[in-house]
PDB file of all heavy atoms in Angstrom:
ATOM      1  N   CYS A  58     -10.957  -3.832   9.021  1.00 98.00           N
ATOM      2  CA  CYS A  58      -9.651  -3.891   9.675  1.00 98.00           C
ATOM      3  C   CYS A  58      -9.460  -2.586  10.434  1.00 98.00           C
ATOM      4  O   CYS A  58      -9.767  -1.511   9.920  1.00 98.00           O
ATOM      5  CB  CYS A  58      -8.521  -4.082   8.670  1.00 98.00           C
ATOM      6  SG  CYS A  58      -6.920  -4.270   9.498  1.00 98.00           S
ATOM      7  N   ARG A  60      -6.455  -1.694  11.887  1.00 95.00           N
ATOM      8  CA  ARG A  60      -5.031  -1.404  12.119  1.00 95.00           C
ATOM      9  C   ARG A  60      -4.524  -0.156  11.411  1.00 95.00           C
ATOM     10  O   ARG A  60      -3.625   0.509  11.896  1.00 95.00           O
ATOM     11  CB  ARG A  60      -4.186  -2.606  11.702  1.00 95.00           C
ATOM     12  CG  ARG A  60      -4.422  -3.786  12.595  1.00 95.00           C
ATOM     13  CD  ARG A  60      -3.517  -4.950  12.264  1.00 95.00           C
ATOM     14  NE  ARG A  60      -3.932  -6.123  12.993  1.00 95.00           N
ATOM     15  CZ  ARG A  60      -3.530  -6.424  14.217  1.00 95.00           C
ATOM     16  NH1 ARG A  60      -2.660  -5.649  14.828  1.00 95.00           N
ATOM     17  NH2 ARG A  60      -3.980  -7.491  14.834  1.00 95.00           N
ATOM     18  N   ARG A  61      -5.046   0.096  10.233  1.00 95.00           N
ATOM     19  CA  ARG A  61      -4.640   1.297   9.478  1.00 95.00           C
ATOM     20  C   ARG A  61      -3.115   1.350   9.250  1.00 95.00           C
ATOM     21  O   ARG A  61      -2.470   2.388   9.488  1.00 95.00           O
ATOM     22  CB  ARG A  61      -5.079   2.587  10.193  1.00 95.00           C
ATOM     23  CG  ARG A  61      -6.565   2.641  10.517  1.00 95.00           C
ATOM     24  CD  ARG A  61      -7.415   2.789   9.263  1.00 95.00           C
ATOM     25  NE  ARG A  61      -8.814   3.021   9.589  1.00 95.00           N
ATOM     26  CZ  ARG A  61      -9.749   2.071   9.711  1.00 95.00           C
ATOM     27  NH1 ARG A  61      -9.422   0.797   9.557  1.00 95.00           N
ATOM     28  NH2 ARG A  61     -10.992   2.372   9.969  1.00 95.00           N
ATOM     29  N   CYS A  62      -2.533   0.271   8.828  1.00 94.00           N
ATOM     30  CA  CYS A  62      -1.094   0.258   8.535  1.00 94.00           C
ATOM     31  C   CYS A  62      -0.791   1.278   7.441  1.00 94.00           C
ATOM     32  O   CYS A  62      -1.493   1.320   6.427  1.00 94.00           O
ATOM     33  CB  CYS A  62      -0.658  -1.112   8.027  1.00 94.00           C
ATOM     34  SG  CYS A  62      -1.049  -2.470   9.117  1.00 94.00           S
ATOM     35  N   CYS A  65      -0.964   0.469   3.448  1.00 93.00           N
ATOM     36  CA  CYS A  65      -1.815  -0.709   3.216  1.00 93.00           C
ATOM     37  C   CYS A  65      -2.285  -0.754   1.765  1.00 93.00           C
ATOM     38  O   CYS A  65      -2.717   0.254   1.213  1.00 93.00           O
ATOM     39  CB  CYS A  65      -3.031  -0.644   4.149  1.00 93.00           C
ATOM     40  SG  CYS A  65      -4.266  -1.905   3.784  1.00 93.00           S
ATOM     41  N   THR A  70     -10.773  -2.201   2.299  1.00 97.00           N
ATOM     42  CA  THR A  70     -11.262  -3.271   3.183  1.00 97.00           C
ATOM     43  C   THR A  70     -11.379  -2.818   4.633  1.00 97.00           C
ATOM     44  O   THR A  70     -11.778  -3.603   5.485  1.00 97.00           O
ATOM     45  CB  THR A  70     -10.313  -4.492   3.142  1.00 97.00           C
ATOM     46  OG1 THR A  70      -9.037  -4.103   3.706  1.00 97.00           O
ATOM     47  CG2 THR A  70     -10.108  -5.016   1.736  1.00 97.00           C
ATOM     48  N   HIS A  71     -11.039  -1.585   4.952  1.00 97.00           N
ATOM     49  CA  HIS A  71     -10.981  -1.172   6.363  1.00 97.00           C
ATOM     50  C   HIS A  71     -12.349  -0.978   7.017  1.00 97.00           C
ATOM     51  O   HIS A  71     -12.543  -1.385   8.166  1.00 97.00           O
ATOM     52  CB  HIS A  71     -10.180   0.128   6.501  1.00 97.00           C
ATOM     53  CG  HIS A  71      -8.726  -0.037   6.176  1.00 97.00           C
ATOM     54  ND1 HIS A  71      -7.833   0.992   6.200  1.00 97.00           N
ATOM     55  CD2 HIS A  71      -8.012  -1.136   5.807  1.00 97.00           C
ATOM     56  CE1 HIS A  71      -6.625   0.554   5.862  1.00 97.00           C
ATOM     57  NE2 HIS A  71      -6.712  -0.736   5.615  1.00 97.00           N
ATOM     58  N   GLY A 101      -7.608 -10.048   3.827  1.00 95.00           N
ATOM     59  CA  GLY A 101      -8.505  -8.912   4.029  1.00 95.00           C
ATOM     60  C   GLY A 101      -7.839  -7.604   3.691  1.00 95.00           C
ATOM     61  O   GLY A 101      -6.989  -7.550   2.807  1.00 95.00           O
ATOM     62  N   GLY A 102      -8.227  -6.698   4.661  1.00 96.00           N
ATOM     63  CA  GLY A 102      -8.979  -6.792   5.894  1.00 96.00           C
ATOM     64  C   GLY A 102      -8.341  -7.748   6.926  1.00 96.00           C
ATOM     65  O   GLY A 102      -7.274  -8.275   6.719  1.00 96.00           O
ATOM     66  N   PHE A 155       1.431  -5.213   8.021  1.00 96.00           N
ATOM     67  CA  PHE A 155       2.351  -4.676   7.023  1.00 96.00           C
ATOM     68  C   PHE A 155       3.092  -3.468   7.596  1.00 96.00           C
ATOM     69  O   PHE A 155       2.477  -2.580   8.200  1.00 96.00           O
ATOM     70  CB  PHE A 155       1.546  -4.256   5.784  1.00 96.00           C
ATOM     71  CG  PHE A 155       2.353  -3.547   4.747  1.00 96.00           C
ATOM     72  CD1 PHE A 155       3.300  -4.214   4.000  1.00 96.00           C
ATOM     73  CD2 PHE A 155       2.165  -2.189   4.524  1.00 96.00           C
ATOM     74  CE1 PHE A 155       4.052  -3.550   3.043  1.00 96.00           C
ATOM     75  CE2 PHE A 155       2.906  -1.512   3.571  1.00 96.00           C
ATOM     76  CZ  PHE A 155       3.848  -2.199   2.830  1.00 96.00           C
TER      77      PHE A 155
HETATM   78  S1  SF4 B 306      -3.551  -5.369   8.722  1.00 81.72           S
HETATM   79 FE1  SF4 B 306      -3.576  -5.651   6.493  1.00 81.72          FE
HETATM   80  S2  SF4 B 306      -5.587  -4.877   5.807  1.00 81.72           S
HETATM   81 FE2  SF4 B 306      -5.248  -4.124   7.895  1.00 81.72          FE
HETATM   82  S3  SF4 B 306      -4.386  -2.069   7.581  1.00 81.72           S
HETATM   83 FE3  SF4 B 306      -2.679  -3.515   7.860  1.00 81.72          FE
HETATM   84  S4  SF4 B 306      -2.084  -4.117   5.768  1.00 81.72           S
HETATM   85 FE4  SF4 B 306      -4.147  -3.190   5.661  1.00 81.72          FE
END
Side-chain angles (χ1 to χ4, degrees):
C58 184
R60 293 184 190 273
R61 306 290 188 267
C62 304
C65 171
T70 66
H71 293 178
F155 173 70

